[in-house]
Amino acid sequence: MASPQLATSEMLTRVGGQARPEDAILRELREETASLPTGAATRVSAEEGRLLEQLVELTRARTAVEVGTSTGYSTLCIARSLPRHGLLITCETTARWPALGRPHWRRAGVADRIDLRIAPPTAVLDALFAEYGPGTFDLIFLAAGHAGSAPLYEAALTLLSPDGILAIAGTPPAEDPTTGEFDRTVRANPRVETSRLSIGDGITLVRKAS
C-alpha cells in the first residue's frame, strides 16, 4: 500500500536532518546550467540535489544509477555522497551536456566514481542487467523527462536492491494529466511503497515492499 504523501520538511528530517550546504563547485555548475537556452527545462534545483545526497547517505549506497545526466549537477550530488570506492553509472543520449559537467566532477575529486554512458536509457538499463544482474543498485534516479516511461520504471525496479530507493523526478500530483496515469499505476502497485515530495515538479520515492 502506498504511504501518505510526506511534507518536504518531514522527509528531509527522515533522511538525515540538515544537509551540507551547496558548495562553490555545485553552485557554479547550477548557474552555468541555468544560463543555457534549455537550462530551465533541464536543471536540477539545489533542494533536489540535497535530497539526492541525503538519500545516498540514508541507504548507505555504494552503487547508483542515474537516467538523464544533463549537465551533471545531480550526478555530482550523488557521486560526492558515495563512499570513496562507490560507483555511479549515469547515462545521457548526447555527450554535449555532460561535457559541461566533467570539469566540475574533476574539481570535486569524484570523476573516478562516475561511469558516463552515452546511449538510450533503455539500452543502458538492459546492459546493466546483463552486467550486474537484478537487485544490485542501492539508489536509482530517473531525472525529469523520464518519469512517465513504464519500461524504464520496470527496468529500474528490477535493478533496485531490496533496501534501495528509486527516486523519480518530474512527477506532478496524480490528477495532473501529463503523468497522472503513470503516478496512479506506480502507487497502486502492491510490490512497492511510495511517497511523493513537493520539490520542483514533484519527486516520487519508491522502495520495494517488505
Side-chain angles (χ1 to χ4, degrees):
M1 179 181 296
S3 57
Q5 179 174 316
L6 299 176
T8 299
S9 58
E10 179 185 353
M11 187 61 206
L12 291 176
T13 300
R14 290 191 179 194
V15 297
Q18 182 64 42
R20 68 172 67 89
E22 183 184 51
D23 61 20
I25 299 175
L26 280 168
R27 184 175 62 255
E28 289 170 16
L29 179 53
R30 179 171 54 80
E31 291 173 352
E32 184 177 347
T33 301
S35 70
L36 299 173
T38 59
T42 61
R43 69 186 179 204
V44 172
S45 69
E47 187 177 29
E48 289 174 290
R50 288 196 297 270
L51 176 63
L52 290 170
E53 291 174 355
Q54 291 183 307
L55 291 176
V56 172
E57 293 164 4
L58 172 69
T59 59
R60 298 181 180 179
R62 301 184 64 84
T63 55
V65 174
E66 176 185 47
V67 176
T69 313
S70 186
T71 61
Y73 182 91
S74 53
T75 311
L76 179 52
C77 291
I78 295 170
R80 76 174 192 163
S81 298
L82 289 170
R84 182 172 181 179
H85 299 294
L87 173 65
L88 167 61
I89 299 171
T90 182
C91 66
E92 187 56 77
T93 56
T94 174
R96 178 183 181 185
W97 306 122
L100 297 176
R102 281 188 182 276
H104 300 275
W105 303 345
R106 288 193 292 267
R107 285 176 56 201
V110 299
D112 60 338
R113 304 175 194 175
I114 300 171
D115 176 1
L116 171 63
R117 305 191 182 192
I118 305 302
T122 51
V124 172
L125 296 188
D126 287 346
L128 294 183
F129 181 84
E131 292 174 39
Y132 296 94
T136 48
F137 290 93
D138 305 314
L139 176 70
I140 300 178
F141 176 51
L142 300 185
H146 302 285
S149 172
L152 280 181
Y153 169 74
E154 289 296 335
L157 201 59
T158 299
L159 290 169
L160 191 67
S161 66
D163 296 320
I165 291 180
L166 168 60
I168 309 171
T171 53
E175 61 271 16
D176 188 294
T178 58
T179 60
E181 183 177 354
F182 174 76
D183 182 68
R184 287 189 294 272
T185 299
V186 170
R187 291 192 293 115
N189 188 337
R191 297 179 296 157
V192 301
E193 299 172 347
T194 71
S195 294
R196 184 185 174 278
L197 308 182
S198 299
I199 299 177
D201 291 330
I203 294 181
T204 297
L205 304 181
V206 181
R207 60 187 292 247
K208 292 180 178 179
S210 56

